[in-house]
Every structure is written in C-alpha cells, then in structure tokens.
C-alpha cells in the first residue's frame, strides 16, 4: 500500500486560524467604522488611560494597586494584604469568580470584545499601525505574499518593539511601583541585571503576542471561550445572526426570487471578523463579541433598504422566537452569593487590626545553656504595621514567669506599610524550678491605640537534668560556652530593625 506524500488535509477547518493542511491562516480583518466601533474606540482610549495612570495614583499614601511579589505584599485600593490574610484573599478571589459568572450570564462575552487588554491593544493600537504602514486592508493582504523583511514590515516591527517596551514598563509598574521602575530606567543594566532581564523578557512576550500570536491568544491560550458553554445559558446576551430573517441567502440584490432572506452573501461580516469566523454559523467559541460584524451588516442593510439588526445583540432564546427572561435562577443566585462574600470580605477587612504580631522560634538550637546554668531562648518577633503612619512598638512580657527578656532595640520602629523582624532573648535563671516548657505571654504595644498579648512557650532543660549534671556537663551539652552564646546572640540581633527586616 503506497502512502501519498505531502500534508494531510482535515475534512473541515478545526480552528479559524488554521488552514485545512494545518498551516497558519493569517487574519487580516477589514475594519468597519460603524456606531459600535466608535463606542469601542472611546472605551479603548479610556481604558488605556486608566491602565497607564493606575500605578501613579495614591490612596492614603499608598499605591492604588501594587502587587509586590518578592515581599509578598499586595496593595489593592490602598489596602495592603499579606500572606497571613488568607481568608481575605479567599473571599476576594471567590467574589471575583462569582462576579465573572454573573457578568457572563447577563452580558455574555462583552468583556472580551470591549475591555480585554488583548482586544483593546490589538484592534486599536497595533493593527491600525499595521494598516497605516502596509497600505490598508488590501495592502496587508498583499504584504502576506511577500517573503523576507520588507522595509515596511521591518519598520512595523521596530514600532511594535517600542510599543511593547512601553507596555512592559507600565505593566511592571504594577509589581514594583513607579519609584522602583524609575530606578530601573535611569540606572545602567549592569547595576541591576535581574530586573533588566525581567523587563527584557516581558517586552519580548508582549512583542511576540501582538506581532505574531495575535488572535491565537483568544482562541488557544485564553480559557474563557472554552468554558462559555458553562457560563452562558440560552438567555445570555450574544452577538447572533438571525437565520429566520436572513435565510435562505441570495447573492446580490437584483433579480432576487420571492421568499429569499435578507442576507445577500456579501461576506463583509466574515472579512471584518478579527478571529476569522462566520457569525452566520451560529454561536462559536471564537466569537469575542466585538460587534464588527454588526457594524458591517448594518451598513449593508442600510444600503439595500432593509432594516438593520440582521446581526445584533440578542440571545439564543430570542433567535428561537422565545421571550428573553432577565430574572432566572442563576441571575438571582449569583448576586445573593456575591453579596454574601463581599459583605464578609468588607466586615473582615474593617475589623482587621492595623498591626499584626507574629512570634516565631529562631532557627538552630531551641535553647542555649550557659556555663552558670542559665538558659537562653532566641526568639523572632515579626511586626507588621498596616497603618498610614510610622510607629514604634515596645516588646515586653505580660507574665514574666521568672524570666528576663532582653530586647536589643526597644521600642522597635516600624515604618507605615512595612514589616520588621527583631530578635529577642528570653533568659531563664538557673534552678528556676520549672519544667521543660514555660508558658509566657509577650506584650507588644505602640503606647497609643494598639496593644496585644501573644502566647508563647519558652523551652528549658528538665529540672532533673539540671540536678544530675554538674557545671562541666552542662557546658558540654550546650552548643558553645558563654562567649560563643553571646556571639550568637549578637549575630541574631543583627536581624532586627538595625540590620534590616524581613
């Protein structure tokens, strides 16, 4: 049996951006500047301006949005969230998911066509530049037939690279802040190679997306289209073609047979689609509800004297001649759950203290026994100041239990929105008569409005162990003598505020 050489062709197109032989089908949509397009352009300009300005906006001395990944601090609308705020994170994430469900049930994929950054920048920034340089819609099609780096294509890529670098810097400002970003820009890359390569990698990804990957992001990478069958129902808003009015189709407007539909097979709805689909085939995963087909069809219907709306915002129920019901179980359930999660989130956020104190055991040996029999525990006290002003916190013991607390720097200064970790030492006198664990309570206060007690257990040798071992044996069991212990204590204190915080 002989095998025919060459690529095998699929019986039908499996993706709008693939040819039957599996090669890339480049989409060159013809823009339709109708009423919806003008509204989308205004929306795109506003959203682009908002995207640029958000990192510069301050709320109570803090950025409006700052996602500081290295420090694991997230500032949203002026409120700072830490890794310990797991309940708040869970409620916020759950609220966002429910809001997506609700918005999709009501408005369909309006986000994808009107507000998604991928669509906004592709359709109102990168593609207009491409058409301008390559001679419009027809020029872009002719440019596809030319191989190599044509001068116009090279100029287009250079402009794309500059735009990608600008977008990368704005995007990274959400994660490092505008002040740190200014240092990245003004300093030599040799002084900060890691941040430079982060910026370079982000620029490369944005350039690859808008210069090559393009609509593939919506069709392949983004999961929204693939799960819309779950998020949408028959009452959800969609961009749909009315087959009851348009079928059967007839080519042209002259000599049309009686009973022909309004669709004249001009294919302008196909030529203008940024994802390359034919909306007349019904609801499809690739449709992003950009309304370009609506503008194109309305323009044709106006020219031939037919009413507009052959392709329109509608629902599958309306296309089946059934009334559209706004009130239905999921539309009632989603807002109720969303109100509950947002209410709980707001209550938790409002009742959250503006200071958080965590007491941790330092690494290494749990305790050190000195030559005179005293036992020293090295403890870390982590203080988070979520307030809007700098504070100083005094660390002490609410229940001494026969212990002495040594704090190298007391009170501990903590700037607003910062975290400081300081090392303290709990000293247990020899022959104190306690067991292996001594319960104590640390008292941390700023001397003004904040005061808290944190329970802790200080470790010590068993009392019997002290009685059966002499000073020499005690010295052998300790990790070092008194001089070494003091050296370790000083080194631990260096991790406090004077040596930098965590």
């Amino acid at each position: 049996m002989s095998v025919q050489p060459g690529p095998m062709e699929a019986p039908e197109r499996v993706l709008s951006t693939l040819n039957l032989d599996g090669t890339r089908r480049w989409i060159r949509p013809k823009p339709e500047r109708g009423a919806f397009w003008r509204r989308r352009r205004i929306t795109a300009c506003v959203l682009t301006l908002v995207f640029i300005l958000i990192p510069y906006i301050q709320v109570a001395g803090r950025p409006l949005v700052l996602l500081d990944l290295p420090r694991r601090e997230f500032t949203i609308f002026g409120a700072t969230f830490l890794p310990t705020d797991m309940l708040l994170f869970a409620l916020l994430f759950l609220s966002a998911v429910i809001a997506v469900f609700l918005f999709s049930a009501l408005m369909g994929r309006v986000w994808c066509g009107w507000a998604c950054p991928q669509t906004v920048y592709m359709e109102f920034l990168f593609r207009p530049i491409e058409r301008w340089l390559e001679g419009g819609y027809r020029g872009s099609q002719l440019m596809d037939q030319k191989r190599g780096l044509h001068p116009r294509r090279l100029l287009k890529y250079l402009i794309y690279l500059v735009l990608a670098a600008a977008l990368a810097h704005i995007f990274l400002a959400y994660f490092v802040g505008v002040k740190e970003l200014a240092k990245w820009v003004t300093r030599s890359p040799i002084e900060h190679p890691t941040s430079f390569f982060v910026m370079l990698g982000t620029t490369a990804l944005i350039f690859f997306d808008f210069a090559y990957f393009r609509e593939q992001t919506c069709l392949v990478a983004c999961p929204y289209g693939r799960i819309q069958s779950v998020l949408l129902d028959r009452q959800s808003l969609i961009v749909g073609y009315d087959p009851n009015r348009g079928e059967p189709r007839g080519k042209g407007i002259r000599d049309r047979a009686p009973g022909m539909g309004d669709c004249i097979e001009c294919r302008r709805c196909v030529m203008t689609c940024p994802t390359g689909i034919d909306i007349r085939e019904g609801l499809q995963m690739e449709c992003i509800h950009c309304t370009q087909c609506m503008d194109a069809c309305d323009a044709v219907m106006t020219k031939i004297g037919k009413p507009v709306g052959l392709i329109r915002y509608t629902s599958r129920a309306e296309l089946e001649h059934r009334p559209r019901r706004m009130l239905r179980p999921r539309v009632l359930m989603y807002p109720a759950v969303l109100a509950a999660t947002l209410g709980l989130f707001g209550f938790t956020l409002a009742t959250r203290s503006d200071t958080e104190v965590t007491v941790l055991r330092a690494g290494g040996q749990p305790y050190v026994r000195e030559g005179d029999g005293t036992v020293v525990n090295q403890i870390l006290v982590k203080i988070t100041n979520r307030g809007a002003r700098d504070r100083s916190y005094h660390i002490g013991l609410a229940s001494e239990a026969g212990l002495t607390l040594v704090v190298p720097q007391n009170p501990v200064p903590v700037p607003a929105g910062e975290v400081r970790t300081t090392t303290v030492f709990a000293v247990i006198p020899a022959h104190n008569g306690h067991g292996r664990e001594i319960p104590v309570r640390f008292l941390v206060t700023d001397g003004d409005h904040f005061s808290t007690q944190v329970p802790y257990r200080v470790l010590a040798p068993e009392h019997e162990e002290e009685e059966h071992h002499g000073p020499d044996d005690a010295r052998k069991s300790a990790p070092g003598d008194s001089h070494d212990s003091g050296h370790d204590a000083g080194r631990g204190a260096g991790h406090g505020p004077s040596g930098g915080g965590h």
Side-chain angles (χ1 to χ4, degrees), residues 255-273:
D255 302 326
R256 293 172 61 84
M260 297 293 291
D262 288 349
C263 179
I264 62 173
E265 200 63 68
C266 64
R267 294 186 60 81
R268 284 181 63 171
C269 59
V270 179
M271 291 187 294
T272 195
C273 180

Side-chain angles (χ1 to χ4, degrees), residues 80-96 340-352 356 386:
T80 301
F81 302 93
L82 302 175
T84 53
D85 297 319
M86 289 304 298
L87 178 59
L88 288 171
F89 276 120
L91 291 172
L92 187 61
F93 178 77
L94 183 59
S95 299
T341 55
L342 286 178
L344 186 57
F345 173 81
F347 174 79
T348 306
L349 182 63
T351 56
R352 182 186 64 168
E356 180 177 321
R386 292 194 181 94

Side-chain angles (χ1 to χ4, degrees), residues 238-249 261-263 269 278-282 297 309-312 314 319:
I238 65 171
V239 173
Y241 164 76
D242 189 352
N244 303 296
R245 174 184 159 187
E247 302 295 329
R249 307 171 195 170
D262 288 349
C263 179
C269 59
D278 189 342
I279 192 63
R280 297 172 298 177
E281 296 178 1
C297 188
L310 178 59
I311 302 175
R312 62 184 184 273
T314 182
L319 293 177

Side-chain angles (χ1 to χ4, degrees), residues 445-458:
T445 177
D446 65 352
D448 189 7
H449 300 292
F450 176 78
S451 179
T452 187
Q453 296 185 19
V454 182
Y456 188 79
R457 291 185 178 273
V458 178

Side-chain angles (χ1 to χ4, degrees), residues 156-225:
K156 178 184 72 173
Y157 287 154
L158 289 176
I159 296 176
Y160 277 12
L161 188 60
V162 173
L163 291 175
L167 291 176
H169 280 78
I170 297 172
F171 176 72
L172 290 175
Y174 284 76
F175 297 89
V176 300
V178 291
K179 293 182 180 179
E180 185 66 22
L181 185 65
K183 296 179 182 178
W184 289 16
V185 175
T186 56
R187 292 163 53 196
S188 169
I190 300 177
E191 300 179 21
H192 56 107
T194 302
S195 55
F196 174 75
F197 282 109
V198 169
M199 184 277 297
L200 198 64
T202 306
T203 301
L205 288 174
I206 295 176
F207 176 82
F208 172 78
D209 179 25
F210 291 107
Y212 178 79
F213 208 54
R214 300 190 158 204
E215 65 281 339
Q216 299 281 80
T217 301
C218 304
L219 308 185
V220 178
C222 181
Y224 192 98

Side-chain angles (χ1 to χ4, degrees), residues 367-371 373-376 461 465-466 469 473-474 477-480 485:
Y367 57 83
V368 174
R369 186 160 59 180
E370 305 289 347
T374 59
V375 177
V376 179
E465 182 183 349
E466 293 185 4
H469 293 276
D473 294 331
S477 65
S485 300

Side-chain angles (χ1 to χ4, degrees), residues 281-405:
E281 296 178 1
L283 181 63
Q284 299 161 66
M285 177 199 73
E286 296 90 347
C287 180
I288 60 172
H289 292 196
C290 68
T291 68
Q292 277 286 272
C293 57
M294 293 168 55
D295 281 333
C297 188
D298 285 350
V300 172
M301 292 297 105
T302 301
K303 288 182 180 179
I304 66 175
K306 297 288 184 178
V308 298
L310 178 59
I311 302 175
R312 62 184 184 273
Y313 274 127
T314 182
S315 67
R316 285 182 286 176
E318 289 177 320
L319 293 177
E320 297 168 357
H321 297 292
R322 291 187 296 171
R324 186 185 177 201
R325 295 182 292 105
M326 293 297 295
L327 295 179
R328 49 196 191 275
R330 68 170 61 191
V331 174
L332 297 176
M333 179 185 66
Y334 290 155
V337 179
L338 182 60
T341 55
L342 286 178
L344 186 57
F345 173 81
F347 174 79
T348 306
L349 182 63
T351 56
R352 182 186 64 168
S353 174
D354 58 0
T355 300
E356 180 177 321
V357 179
T358 306
V359 180
L360 304 169
R361 195 174 305 281
Q365 295 287 341
Y367 57 83
V368 174
R369 186 160 59 180
E370 305 289 347
D372 59 358
T374 59
V375 177
V376 179
N377 279 235
Q378 185 175 342
I379 304 165
L380 301 178
V381 179
K382 180 179 179 182
I383 303 176
T384 303
N385 180 11
R386 292 194 181 94
R389 60 183 179 85
D390 299 347
R391 297 181 180 181
S392 294
Y393 297 88
H394 183 274
I395 303 174
L397 289 175
S399 56
E400 296 184 2
L403 309 181
T404 301
L405 188 65

